Amino acid sequence: MKIQESAENYLETILILSQKKTQVRSIDIVNELEFSKPSVSVAMKNLRQNGYVLMDKDGSLTLTDAGREIAEMIYERHQVLSEWLVRLGVDEQTAVKDACRIEHVISPKSFQAIKNHITAIST
């Protein structure tokens, strides 16, 4: 199922924050992405309604299996594309920024080809 880029970014952010913290709350996303509280609140409501995120009574966010699958896919793309661009000579800041844009639009076939190429030249 295709979801909007912004939703993918939120899911990826929850995944990254959950690797650093025992609990992830909406305020953590506000601070990480520097978005307004109302914007994050609306996004979390939409993600909950679409079955990507669960929120407990204390406000702690957890990715559902569907949400985790999307978040891990986007995060892997981000890491691989960032590394690839840096290896091509792009400065890290630009590589990370560009990877963040590319990760949402690249087809699975093209991403796999890049990943295979990186693996081939690394061995």
Side-chain angles (χ1 to χ4, degrees):
M1 174 182 197
K2 180 67 179 149
I3 65 171
Q4 291 184 343
E5 180 179 331
S6 62
E8 290 175 342
N9 280 333
Y10 280 113
L11 294 172
E12 180 184 23
T13 300
I14 294 168
L15 176 69
I16 292 167
L17 288 171
S18 70
Q19 293 171 348
K20 299 175 187 175
K21 304 172 67 103
T22 55
Q23 286 188 324
V24 177
R25 297 198 169 132
S26 293
I27 192 65
D28 300 317
I29 297 167
V30 167
N31 294 332
E32 183 72 17
L33 297 177
E34 299 179 349
F35 290 166
S36 71
K37 289 179 186 179
S39 294
V40 172
S41 180
V42 168
M44 291 306 106
K45 179 181 176 187
N46 289 336
L47 290 172
R48 285 194 317 272
Q49 289 176 339
N50 288 305
Y52 297 117
V53 174
L54 300 173
M55 181 184 286
D56 70 15
K57 63 183 188 288
D58 297 326
S60 182
L61 300 166
T62 306
L63 295 170
T64 63
D65 289 342
R68 179 168 292 282
E69 183 179 334
I70 293 167
E72 288 176 348
M73 175 197 65
I74 294 299
Y75 188 55
E76 178 191 28
R77 287 179 174 196
H78 183 86
Q79 291 178 303
V80 169
L81 293 167
S82 295
E83 179 184 337
W84 180 58
L85 291 168
V86 168
R87 285 184 181 190
L88 291 174
V90 178
D91 66 274
E92 187 173 353
Q93 184 178 8
T94 302
V96 168
K97 185 177 177 181
D98 288 348
C100 192
R101 295 175 68 199
I102 296 167
E103 69 195 25
H104 302 285
V105 296
I106 192 169
S107 71
K109 188 175 185 176
S110 293
F111 176 72
Q112 190 60 50
I114 291 170
K115 200 170 144 182
N116 292 344
H117 177 73
I118 291 169
T119 302
I121 63 171
S122 295
T123 55

